[in-house]
Amino acid sequence: MTSSPLFQIEHLNAGYGESIVLSDVSLDVQQGEIVSLLGPNGAGKTTTMMAITGLLSAYGGTIRLDGHPITDKPAHKRVDLGVALSPEGRQVFPELNVEENLLLGSFASKARASRPRNLTRIYDLFPRLAERKKQLAGLMSGGEQQMLAIGRALMSEPRLLLLDEPSLGLSPLITELVYDTIPVIAAEGISILLVEQNTEAALAVSNRAYVLSHGRIVAAGKAEDLRDSAVLRDAFFGGALSGAAQ
Amino acid sequence: MILQLLIDSALLGGLYALLALGLVLSFGVTNILNFAHGEAIMLGAYGAFWAFTLWGIDPLLSIPIMLVVGFGAGFVCFRYVIERSLDAPHLNQILLTFGIGLILQNAAVLAWTGDLRSANPSYSMAAINLAEVFIPVGRLLTFTVAAALAAILYMWLTRTEYGRASRAIAQNERAAKLMGIDTRFVYSLVFAISIAVAAATGAALSSITTITPFIGFHLLVKAFAIMVLGGAGSISGAVLGGVLLGLLETTVAYYVPEGSGWAEGVAFVALFLFLLIRPQGLIGTRVHG
């Protein structure tokens, strides 16, 4: 880790109105690395994603891409700079078809030029989408919508791909299908920050992970070291379990 | 008789569809119901009337001019005034646009008095007779313009980057932002287009109806009725609702004694019944918050 990381968050504070959700969150992702951000419901994972994309403005701290701060850039400019999110709950455009959803992914001017190449690339990555080009996104299964949300994010040629709960509501089989593509994407040099409640699936594909609890980073380390760690269990089951154990 | 009824319904319905299209477009995307939409139509009608009276410009030729002027005025009005109310409660947005409408209406009274006006190009009284069917040329031309504008709008929405972006915003604004879409710019753009369509509708109306500064609200209520009939936020719903209202009004005018007076009330009855029985409209499903 000699070079400066592709993506870095330093001392981020963020929240909604008067309630502060994230306090002093710092993390980084190297080029081509898969990093998970784990934690139970309400830990602040999605809030972190919203702050990175700019849909939520930070109260304090700095978000850097390639060393340049992007904290003050509006959401639509951050896409052009190379940050794309596949949001929690997929958020596909239900009354547009698969291809239109993907085309919207490359709305940002920089990605428009290489649109045909990226379409081919995504149809190769998710053959299921290629079979359903003209299908309205709202009528597809959860797994297909998840593939579409990831494909749509990739259409903008991101350098940092954010995946928010890609396994949410999917069967184990479909989750595996979606997760199989994550290392393939990273192998192209795209950095991935993965937010999950499904820690097992996330750690299996990640290089490193951070554990978020009550808006703070409580642990960080290599994925294999965190897998059976007490700190991860504590973050999920809180004081109840560790209290009972004592 | 039936054929004549259908032709008259279609001619009127095409105009009604155009009337509602602009309103549906801006409401569907910005989620602000523009109560000054009728005034934009009124001003477009006056623009075409004066262009005809002062310089002899045919009202049909005024349509492209009104499209450009309406676009510019709409863009500026949204960017500098209405945009401020984007995150405000609906009531504030309604009061704001309603207030703009009142200002425009009264400015028109001050500038041009409340006299009834009408542009009368040479063809306004002409008609085509085919067998037993009678087609007024003015209405046929207006219908053609309405159909062309609706088609262009449809192509724009389905085939262009910004058209697609507008539909995306209407369906999921946050996700649209994640696509790198500058939603505030698209709001201004869509609002500008809706005012352009309104001004063009006014220009088309100027040769087939009488104009006063007060026609705006009346037209707005009809546009509301059409929107509710078709389903709010849906372009195809606006076309369907427009044609349906045209058919209903024409049928009442034909078959009810003293019908042409009663026909004006049809929109209100339809609005009332639909809100009661099928508030989502004929093909609408989406509900705006």
Side-chain angles (χ1 to χ4, degrees), chain B residues 12 15-16 41 45 49 116-120 124 138-139 142 201-212 215 218-219 222 264:
Chain B
L12 187 63
L15 190 65
Y16 280 169
I41 299 175
F49 167 77
L116 302 174
R117 320 258 187 180
S118 184
N120 290 306
S124 64
R139 289 201 171 243
T142 320
T201 309
L205 276 173
S206 67
S207 64
I208 58 169
T209 55
T210 47
I211 312 161
T212 76
I215 57 172
H218 178 72
L219 293 172
K222 283 207 175 170
E264 284 300 302

Side-chain angles (χ1 to χ4, degrees), chain A residues 50 53 55 75-76 79 83 85 87 91-96 100-101 103-108 112 115 152, chain B residues 157-158 161-162 164-169 171-183 186 285-286:
Chain A
M50 292 294 116
T53 57
L55 285 184
H76 63 95
V79 179
V83 178
L85 167 69
Q91 311 286 330
V92 295
F93 301 110
E95 289 161 53
L96 297 182
E100 288 173 314
N101 267 274
L103 291 177
L104 277 160
S106 54
F107 180 87
R112 258 184 238 177
R115 191 176 259 176
R152 189 179 64 174
Chain B
L157 280 168
T158 50
E161 291 296 332
Y162 276 95
R164 204 185 294 126
S166 306
R167 287 191 295 152
I169 292 175
Q171 291 171 32
N172 190 331
E173 195 212 347
R174 283 167 78 82
K177 281 185 179 159
L178 291 174
M179 302 300 107
I181 297 168
D182 181 354
T183 51
V186 177
T285 45
R286 213 169 40 254

Side-chain angles (χ1 to χ4, degrees), chain A residues 89-173:
Chain A
R90 309 179 263 278
Q91 311 286 330
V92 295
F93 301 110
E95 289 161 53
L96 297 182
N97 66 33
V98 168
E99 188 135 309
E100 288 173 314
N101 267 274
L102 290 176
L103 291 177
L104 277 160
S106 54
F107 180 87
S109 50
K110 201 188 64 186
R112 258 184 238 177
S114 42
R115 191 176 259 176
R117 184 168 55 84
N118 285 327
L119 266 183
T120 316
R121 185 174 138 229
I122 282 147
Y123 286 144
D124 284 347
L125 190 64
F126 300 111
R128 197 84 76 99
L129 297 181
E131 293 161 20
R132 286 170 168 65
K133 280 180 199 177
K134 298 296 168 199
Q135 168 99 56
L136 289 186
L139 300 178
M140 296 202 303
S141 73
E144 289 164 342
Q145 287 189 9
Q146 187 59 59
M147 293 172 196
L148 181 56
I150 296 174
R152 189 179 64 174
L154 284 173
M155 283 297 288
S156 68
E157 297 194 322
R159 287 188 291 164
L160 175 72
L161 175 66
L162 306 167
L163 300 173
D164 196 347
E165 302 272 3
S167 75
L168 190 76
L170 304 187
S171 72
L173 198 70

Side-chain angles (χ1 to χ4, degrees), chain B residues 4 20 77 127 175 181 184 194 228 266 284:
Chain B
Q4 182 71 52
C77 178
I181 297 168
R184 296 224 157 190
S194 93
V228 171
V266 168

